[in-house]
Amino acid sequence: MFFVGIDVGGTNTRLALINEQGELVKSSRFSTLSYKDSTAFLDKLLREIVPLIKGEAPIGIGIAVPGVVDASGTVLRYAPNLNWIDIPMGKALSDRTGLPVYLENDANLAALGELGFGELKGESDGIALTIGTGIGGGVILNGSLFRGKDGMGTEIGHMGLVFGGGICGCGKKGCFEVYASANGFIRIAAEEYMNAKTTFPKSESEQKKMPEIILTNYLSRIPLAIGIVEKYSDFLAAGIGSLINIFGPVKVVLAGGLFHSGEILLPVVTGKLSQYCFRLFAEKTVIVKSNLIDKSSLLGAYLLLREKIVDQ
């Protein structure tokens, strides 16, 4: 028995053929940003699916999307960082593949993946944060994924963090992800470089390399890097602290490129938590990086399909 998992990220889209044991048998990826138009994106997605499933007979397609999904799990209602509104992605792909297709918010599926295979396995209450182009958040309460009314809950990246702050991709000001996403890290770095009258790369491709450089410089105790990391970690700790006060999780799992190469940021953020939530809560909450690297949403898509098709 095979399943198709798809993770539509704000930067890249990943696809995987997944077997019954939750193992990624085959995979591919392409740039989401190359297909801003949703119709062109779906055409490209179909072209990627065809060779992925050649010779196999998957039972369905599960898609992790960076936005709000309707209650039926077939329509992407709103993806702020892609500016897509009311895209009938499930029906479009189902009509063209003949397979059942279900959508779910990518961070919700990341939390589900962590619950089934990762750091939240065996835990009753936890939060998974995916920190990339934006910030997604999935919440596990009493051993189950919390979806909110009509599946519209836990848009954690868009909770207000800074009153009157920078404009987010969703159009609001001061969202958590404006300051604590990977893009937020780059934004803070650019400001600090400018304040220090130091040249910061102008091209997007070069800017994306800067977090790794800055984190390496932080370990070397270079003052400019220290300032950037301290400022960024304050924003991240403030957001996580608020979530801890609200949900009281056993664990908070952090996923994304900033946390893949070593654990430079984790101790810094953990050390600041008591400034932003009750000290007792901070002491009882474990902050860890995901051990699934970039597979949590894909595995969550697999578990979603099992829930919808196999385990009924």
Side-chain angles (χ1 to χ4, degrees), residues 169-191:
C170 73
K172 296 198 296 102
K173 291 183 178 180
C175 290
F176 182 31
E177 72 176 40
V178 172
Y179 298 91
S181 64
N183 280 357
F185 187 101
I186 292 169
R187 179 178 181 271
I188 291 167
E191 291 173 352

Side-chain angles (χ1 to χ4, degrees), residues 17 20 83 87-88 95 115 129 139 157 179 183 194 198 230 306:
L17 185 68
E20 199 169 357
N83 198 29
I87 310 300
D95 286 349
L115 182 64
L129 293 180
V139 177
Y179 298 91
N183 280 357
M194 183 177 68
T198 302
E230 290 292 331
R306 290 203 67 101

Side-chain angles (χ1 to χ4, degrees), residues 143-154:
S144 299
L145 179 65
F146 173 74
R147 286 185 167 95
K149 180 177 170 56
D150 296 329
M152 292 186 177
T154 63

Side-chain angles (χ1 to χ4, degrees), residues 207-222:
Q207 287 181 1
K208 288 185 181 298
K209 298 175 184 176
M210 290 304 294
E212 185 174 352
I213 292 169
I214 290 165
L215 290 173
T216 300
N217 288 345
Y218 174 83
L219 289 178
S220 299
R221 310 309 294 164
I222 293 174

Side-chain angles (χ1 to χ4, degrees), residues 170-295:
C170 73
K172 296 198 296 102
K173 291 183 178 180
C175 290
F176 182 31
E177 72 176 40
V178 172
Y179 298 91
S181 64
N183 280 357
F185 187 101
I186 292 169
R187 179 178 181 271
I188 291 167
E191 291 173 352
E192 294 301 303
Y193 268 63
M194 183 177 68
N195 292 339
K197 295 182 171 53
T198 302
T199 303
F200 194 78
K202 293 184 178 179
S203 77
E204 189 174 326
S205 60
E206 290 301 310
Q207 287 181 1
K208 288 185 181 298
K209 298 175 184 176
M210 290 304 294
E212 185 174 352
I213 292 169
I214 290 165
L215 290 173
T216 300
N217 288 345
Y218 174 83
L219 289 178
S220 299
R221 310 309 294 164
I222 293 174
L224 180 56
I226 292 173
I228 293 166
V229 169
E230 290 292 331
K231 190 170 185 179
Y232 170 80
S233 59
D234 268 319
F235 286 123
L236 184 55
I240 293 174
S242 294
L243 294 172
I244 290 172
N245 276 342
I246 295 166
F247 293 106
V250 176
K251 277 186 182 178
V252 177
V253 184
L254 305 179
L258 289 174
F259 302 93
H260 288 169
S261 54
E263 297 186 354
I264 299 169
L265 282 170
L266 278 177
V268 184
V269 173
T270 302
K272 293 174 180 285
L273 276 182
S274 60
Q275 300 175 41
Y276 300 104
C277 67
F278 292 129
R279 182 176 295 277
L280 177 63
F281 291 5
E283 291 172 351
K284 288 183 174 292
T285 306
V286 179
I287 312 295
V288 296
K289 71 172 183 176
S290 173
N291 59 10
L292 298 177
I293 311 298
D294 59 356
K295 297 188 296 185

